[in-house]
Amino acid sequence: KLGSTNYLLWKTQFESFLSSQSLLGYVNGASPRPNPTVRTTDGDAVTEVANPEFVQWVRKDQLVMAWLFGSLTEEALRSVYGLHSAQEVWFNLGKKYNRVSATRKLDLQRKLQGMSKNQKTMTEYLGDVKSVCDQLDSIGYPVTEQEIIYGALSGLGKEYESICTVIEHSMDSLTEMSFDDAMFKLVNFDDKL
């Protein structure tokens, strides 16, 4: 369920689910609400009749909205009370849990620069580094693989100097190292410690 700390994971799962059901357009705006009526002409007479596409669209939109509501914590559900379409709910949740602002960007960048492993396991620490980078990416400030790696290395203690040197040297070579490659080396080294 969506809470204050898992927006990106929730969004990824929900987008995948909606996409598999051909309903993603109801939250991202690709399937706009059709007009409730359509004009028909019969000779010179023009009349307005109910649009069958509108009825079908409302039914699907309400289904998606019900799925959204079912995936929210009570706190998140309170924040979207009174909204009338799946797209309104989706965008409000994004605004609440994935706020895009210069202040948030700077806060996340500071957090990345100030992270340290301390008593966490290596896997937990690297997961935290990746989470901050994912949050930056989600608000339009992607972090390169090298920046992620340097961010992770800078938070390690003296006992990791040798592996940090190996990884930094590998990054200077012609082949580009991925964060997953660095993570594998760091976890293996940590296991040996």
Side-chain angles (χ1 to χ4, degrees), residues 47-73:
T47 57
E48 296 265 335
V49 296
N51 184 352
E53 289 179 16
F54 175 76
V55 174
Q56 184 180 7
W57 185 93
V58 168
R59 187 181 61 74
K60 287 182 179 180
D61 183 66
Q62 293 303 299
L63 176 67
V64 171
M65 202 158 76
W67 286 339
L68 286 169
F69 287 162
S71 73
L72 304 179
T73 60

Side-chain angles (χ1 to χ4, degrees), residues 147-167:
E147 291 170 329
I148 298 172
I149 295 168
Y150 281 122
L153 296 180
S154 67
L156 299 175
K158 293 237 182 253
E159 66 269 25
Y160 295 96
E161 279 184 4
S162 60
I163 190 65
C164 288
T165 302
V166 168
I167 291 171

Side-chain angles (χ1 to χ4, degrees), residues 1-18:
K1 293 204 175 229
L2 173 62
S4 59
T5 59
N6 64 342
Y7 175 77
L8 293 179
L9 295 174
W10 173 86
K11 180 179 183 249
T12 300
Q13 288 177 322
F14 222 89
E15 283 177 333
S16 177
F17 172 71
L18 290 175

Side-chain angles (χ1 to χ4, degrees), residues 84-104:
H84 302 290
S85 74
Q87 186 178 8
E88 287 177 344
V89 171
W90 187 261
F91 282 114
N92 263 336
L93 292 170
K95 211 161 55 171
K96 178 177 173 73
Y97 294 108
N98 198 37
R99 183 176 42 86
V100 178
S101 70
T103 304
R104 180 153 186 246

Side-chain angles (χ1 to χ4, degrees), residues 17-46:
F17 172 71
L18 290 175
S19 183
S20 73
Q21 303 299 311
S22 300
L23 297 170
L24 188 59
Y26 287 84
V27 295
N28 69 13
S31 296
R33 178 188 302 250
N35 290 326
T37 59
V38 290
R39 291 177 180 227
T40 60
T41 55
D42 187 17
D44 291 339
V46 176

Side-chain angles (χ1 to χ4, degrees), residues 161-184:
E161 279 184 4
S162 60
I163 190 65
C164 288
T165 302
V166 168
I167 291 171
E168 288 171 354
H169 178 70
S170 295
M171 290 172 67
D172 289 337
S173 68
L174 294 177
T175 59
E176 196 167 310
M177 178 178 277
S178 71
F179 179 68
D180 287 338
D181 294 337
M183 188 172 167
F184 178 75

